[in-house]
Amino acid sequence: MESPRAIQAEAAQLLQLANQARAGRGIAPLRWDASLATAARQHCLRMVAENSISHRYSNEPDVANRAAQAGAHFNLVEENVAVAPTPAAIHNGWMRSSGHRSNLLNPGVDHVGIAVVAGRHGLYAVADYEHAIPLLSQTQVEASVSSLLRAQGISVAANPTNARAYCASGNQDRVRSSHAMLWQQSDPTQLPTSLKSLIGSGKYHQAIVGSCPPQSLEGPFTTYRVAVLLE
């Protein structure tokens, strides 16, 4: 998280109020995401220019695409917007609105970026919330999945070449393996349920793990593609 001194004062106040509300309900605090704050500011400036509040204007990307274009990585994103005289009034308005309150108190989000801009009718505010996904390299994804497999008693080969090739092609006819599995998901620290079931059968004792760029993606959500060859 950035130093509070590096965050706009009004945004820092909204972050503090949000985390106080979350703490009072036993929910983990939100951490600051500078990329989300950039996306929030761009939209906040648009609200000031339009002299209204909205989650999306004509010829503008939706919140997920705005956040991704600003450099955020996530598998869940939500947004609150408001105009009010003070940060406290903005926060109170969000807490009185069921949808805004649900976003602010959602235990499934862990980061936020907030922007506040003065306009004709008061302070315009945008808060973008996300469940952040770490940006991992190919080898980091493979290391994460390999660690999970080893914890299940599976020996993982050092050379990922064959699994990487299968990951990129998806062609099982070219794979020499007892079982080949390929998936895409946002969290490489979790094994698919079907793979856990295969391991639980006791038939497999070795694996090759490979990662490659995701394919056929729709939308801005961070996703990883992984292949595992079991023996």
Side-chain angles (χ1 to χ4, degrees):
M1 175 174 171
E2 293 187 19
S3 164
R5 289 176 296 180
I7 304 173
Q8 178 190 16
E10 295 82 359
Q13 185 176 345
L14 284 171
L15 175 61
Q16 181 181 22
L17 290 168
N19 281 336
Q20 286 174 352
R22 289 169 70 92
R25 294 160 176 81
I27 305 170
L30 296 167
R31 289 175 285 172
W32 187 260
D33 186 306
S35 295
L36 280 183
T38 296
R41 181 167 179 78
Q42 291 170 347
H43 185 62
C44 200
L45 290 170
R46 180 69 183 269
M47 292 201 307
V48 171
E50 296 284 348
N51 199 30
S52 66
I53 60 172
S54 174
H55 290 287
R56 189 179 186 183
Y57 298 98
S58 60
N59 302 317
E60 182 187 36
D62 63 16
V63 59
N65 280 286
R66 294 197 303 267
Q69 290 169 9
H73 298 275
F74 50 87
N75 64 358
L76 171 65
V77 64
E78 302 171 333
E79 183 175 74
N80 282 358
V81 297
V83 59
T86 65
I90 291 168
H91 174 77
N92 290 337
W94 285 342
M95 292 299 289
R96 288 194 296 266
S97 164
S98 60
H100 293 89
R101 184 175 62 251
S102 177
N103 290 343
L104 191 153
L105 298 178
N106 185 354
V109 299
D110 52 16
H111 286 73
V112 68
I114 304 171
V116 181
V117 178
R120 186 181 305 175
H121 297 296
L123 297 178
Y124 288 76
V126 176
D128 289 340
Y129 310 90
E130 70 177 0
H131 178 259
I133 298 298
L135 184 60
L136 302 178
S137 68
Q138 181 183 41
T139 55
Q140 286 174 323
V141 173
E142 292 167 353
S144 177
V145 175
S146 296
S147 178
L148 295 171
L149 290 172
R150 291 189 184 100
Q152 298 289 324
I154 302 295
S155 174
V156 180
N159 188 343
T161 301
N162 290 341
R164 286 181 177 180
Y166 172 53
C167 183
S169 69
N171 188 349
Q172 294 193 39
D173 294 336
R174 301 173 62 181
V175 174
R176 295 182 178 180
S177 175
S178 298
H179 191 93
M181 188 165 181
L182 179 61
W183 72 91
Q184 291 188 176
Q185 65 184 32
S186 62
D187 188 357
T189 67
Q190 298 290 329
L191 296 176
T193 301
S194 55
L195 179 55
K196 291 180 181 178
S197 297
L198 287 171
I199 294 172
S201 71
K203 296 179 181 179
Y204 306 102
H205 306 283
Q206 297 180 329
I208 305 175
V209 176
S211 179
C212 63
Q215 299 178 10
S216 302
L217 282 183
E218 294 183 4
F221 298 96
T222 299
T223 302
Y224 296 102
R225 185 175 175 89
V226 182
V228 171
L229 308 180
L230 293 171
E231 293 290 348

